[in-house]
């Protein structure tokens, strides 16, 4: 029994040392009403860089500068484009065309992987069908550039991913949407190609001067869902660095997709971190989902207007944890594990709204 006790103590000590030695950091760059998120994860002494979304076309320069300034590398091990809206995909075109930058692996959902016999008949042959459905991944300002084709041409390994897909080295996986749900929304994406299906940013400034009436706030948040099929297709990415923390990057996912995730992964509760979907729009979360996730930290990538982020949504998120937003920071919101050394130029940020 003595030996068993000693072994148990040693195991606990080793686990504690392993957790304390974990090196990782994550940050949300300031790109307005767009997303550009970086994770740097260490396995031993080897660093792995992950980029989730690349903002609009001009945001590639911001990402490149950040890579050089803080990581000393232009090598991106894994890039994830959550969905084909311009404020998430267009920055990738410049990154792939930049000779100094290498992207080893790209995750996205390829609609060509879901073509059926009806699609082939509709478009007369398989190649036509592939071209027709993949157009959702064309650059918003240049229909001659397709993200999937460009990535393949540049030697990148491109993976079609939906719920359940995992990285072979990094503790990163996809927890939504399901393949069945994606099949539903991709038909609407293709049918609505070129038609505005998203919520415009407001030109009015962020407003938190509303009367705090929790019943009214709850009613507003729970009343509508984001109608965009593009946002409905958004990947939801889970990163579990190994210290028991769960970090959820929700892209622009809607409430249906997030609720399906919670129904399937019942253990996915009380997350350490939530990248709030769709720049803090009130249509992409509801009070039930927020309560289930109970995020200790929320990061919002937003321009800071009346819709993005929604003052009512910020208020409800702050019932569970601190809320940060890029519109009130210098250039990025940053967080790191204890084992990561202090970084020159990184400023400790105060929450946009502290937990109540």
């Amino acid at each position: 029994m003595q030996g068993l006790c000693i072994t148990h103590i040693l195991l606990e000590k080793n686990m504690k040392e392993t957790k304390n030695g974990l090196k990782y950091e994550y940050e949300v760059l300031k790109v307005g009403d767009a997303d550009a998120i970086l994770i740097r994860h260490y396995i031993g002494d080897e660093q792995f860089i992950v980029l989730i979304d690349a903002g609009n076309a001009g945001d590639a320069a911001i990402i490149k500068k950040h890579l050089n300034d803080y990581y000393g590398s232009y090598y991106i091990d894994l890039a994830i484009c959550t969905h084909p809206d311009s404020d998430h995909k267009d920055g990738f075109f410049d990154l792939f065309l930049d000779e100094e930058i290498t992207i080893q692996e790209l995750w996205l959902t390829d609609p060509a992987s879901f073509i059926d016999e009806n699609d082939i008949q509709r478009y007369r042959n398989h190649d036509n069908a592939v071209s027709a459905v993949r157009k959702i991944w064309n650059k918003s300002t240049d229909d001659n550039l397709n993200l999937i084709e460009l990535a393949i041409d540049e030697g990148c390994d491109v993976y079609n991913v939906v719920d359940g897909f995992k990285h072979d080295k990094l503790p990163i996986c996809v927890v939504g949407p399901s393949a069945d749900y994606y099949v539903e929304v991709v038909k609407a994406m293709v049918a609505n190609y070129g038609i505005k299906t998203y919520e415009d940013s407001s030109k009015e400034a962020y407003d938190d001067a509303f009367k705090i009436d929790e019943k009214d706030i709850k009613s507003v948040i729970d009343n509508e869902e984001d109608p965009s099929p593009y946002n409905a297709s958004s990947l939801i990415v889970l990163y579990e660095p190994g210290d028991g923390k769960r970090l959820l990057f929700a892209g622009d996912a809607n409430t249906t997709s997030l609720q399906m995730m919670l129904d399937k992964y019942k253990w996915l509760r009380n997350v350490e971190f939530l990248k709030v979907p769709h720049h803090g729009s009130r249509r992409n979360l509801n009070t039930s989902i927020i309560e289930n996730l109970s995020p200790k930290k929320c990061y919002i990538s937003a321009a800071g207007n009346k819709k993005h982020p929604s003052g009512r949504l910020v208020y409800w998120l702050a019932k569970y944890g601190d809320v940060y937003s890029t519109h009130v920071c210098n250039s990025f919101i940053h967080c790191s594990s204890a084992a990561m050394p202090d970084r020159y130029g990184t400023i400790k940020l105060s929450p946009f709204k502290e937990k109540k």
Side-chain angles (χ1 to χ4, degrees):
M1 292 295 290
Q2 183 71 21
L4 287 173
C5 289
I6 292 171
T7 302
H8 182 67
I9 290 167
L10 287 173
L11 282 171
E12 282 190 338
K13 181 174 182 291
N14 289 338
M15 285 176 65
K16 187 174 182 181
E17 287 175 351
T18 300
K19 287 182 180 181
N20 290 341
L22 274 173
K23 290 172 65 178
Y24 65 89
E25 57 190 335
Y26 54 94
E27 40 211 327
V28 179
L29 305 189
K30 185 171 185 172
V31 288
D33 275 354
D35 274 15
I37 300 155
L38 284 161
I39 300 171
R40 179 160 63 157
H41 180 95
Y42 279 85
I43 299 177
D45 293 328
E46 186 177 5
Q47 76 168 5
F48 292 83
I49 296 174
V50 179
L51 173 64
I52 303 176
D53 291 326
N56 288 299
D59 296 328
I62 296 172
I63 295 166
K64 182 178 180 181
K65 184 177 186 303
H66 197 93
L67 289 170
N68 183 56
D69 288 352
Y70 296 105
Y71 301 165
S73 173
Y74 290 138
Y75 191 93
I76 298 170
D77 297 272
L78 171 62
I80 303 172
C81 193
T82 58
H83 64 293
D85 269 335
S86 59
D87 56 326
H88 296 254
K89 72 178 176 183
D90 276 12
F92 277 116
F93 291 91
D94 287 341
L95 292 176
F96 275 112
L97 291 170
D98 190 314
E99 293 182 356
E100 291 186 296
I101 292 175
T102 298
I103 300 178
Q104 177 62 39
E105 189 171 320
L106 173 64
W107 289 7
L108 47 67
T109 308
D110 179 5
S113 299
F114 300 90
I115 288 173
D116 59 25
E117 288 300 320
N118 291 330
D119 296 317
I120 294 171
Q121 289 180 12
R122 183 182 303 115
Y123 298 110
R124 300 191 177 183
N125 61 55
H126 184 269
D127 289 345
N128 285 347
V130 169
S131 178
V133 298
R134 277 188 175 172
K135 66 187 177 183
I136 62 173
W137 285 107
N138 288 353
K139 189 175 183 181
S140 64
T141 56
D142 186 350
D143 242 4
N144 294 313
L145 275 178
N146 180 272
L147 183 57
I148 296 173
E149 293 170 5
L150 176 61
I152 292 170
D153 288 346
E154 293 298 319
C156 179
D157 298 324
V158 180
Y159 292 89
N160 168 56
V161 303
V162 286
D163 175 33
F165 197 88
K166 299 178 181 180
H167 195 270
D168 59 355
K169 285 185 179 179
L170 298 170
I172 291 177
C173 66
V174 177
V175 290
S178 68
D180 289 343
Y181 186 52
Y182 180 80
V183 168
E184 286 182 31
V185 299
V186 72
K187 295 185 186 302
M189 281 194 283
V190 173
N192 290 321
Y193 180 70
I195 301 172
K196 187 179 85 66
T197 63
Y198 55 86
E199 176 186 51
D200 280 326
S201 297
S202 172
K203 293 182 179 179
E204 296 180 64
Y206 173 80
D207 176 24
D208 64 352
F210 55 87
K211 181 181 177 182
I212 298 175
D213 179 338
E214 291 206 354
K215 287 184 179 179
D216 170 67
I217 293 171
K218 188 176 188 298
S219 174
V220 169
I221 295 170
D222 292 346
N223 190 43
E224 294 182 59
E225 176 168 82
D226 183 347
S228 166
Y230 287 82
N231 289 346
S233 78
S234 181
L235 295 173
I236 307 169
V237 179
L238 177 65
Y239 170 53
E240 297 181 282
D243 53 5
K245 294 178 179 177
R246 296 171 181 146
L247 285 67
L248 196 65
F249 299 86
D252 280 359
N254 64 12
T255 54
T256 296
S257 186
L258 286 162
Q259 188 57 56
M260 290 171 70
M261 173 198 74
L262 288 167
D263 291 343
K264 180 176 180 180
Y265 300 103
K266 298 187 184 302
W267 48 265
L268 189 47
R269 303 289 192 274
N270 303 312
V271 299
E272 175 71 18
F273 163 89
L274 172 67
K275 201 296 294 183
V276 176
H278 200 194
H279 323 301
S281 169
R282 64 181 173 84
R283 292 184 172 92
N284 295 73
L285 285 173
N286 59 41
T287 57
S288 174
I289 291 170
I290 294 170
E291 181 180 3
N292 277 309
L293 292 175
S294 296
K296 295 178 183 176
K297 290 179 185 171
C298 291
Y299 283 14
I300 298 172
S301 183
N305 53 54
K306 195 169 184 178
K307 292 182 179 178
H308 302 154
S310 158
R312 289 171 173 80
L313 185 77
V314 169
Y315 175 88
W316 209 270
L317 289 168
K319 290 168 71 72
Y320 300 90
D322 291 339
V323 182
Y324 298 79
S325 179
T326 56
H327 81 276
V328 291
C329 71
N330 276 337
S331 58
F332 55 88
I333 307 171
H334 173 262
C335 191
S336 62
S337 64
M340 286 294 291
D342 290 338
R343 206 169 75 178
Y344 177 76
T346 299
I347 302 168
K348 183 175 175 59
L349 294 173
S350 299
F352 173 50
K353 194 170 189 66
E354 290 184 345
K355 180 181 177 181
K356 294 189 284 290

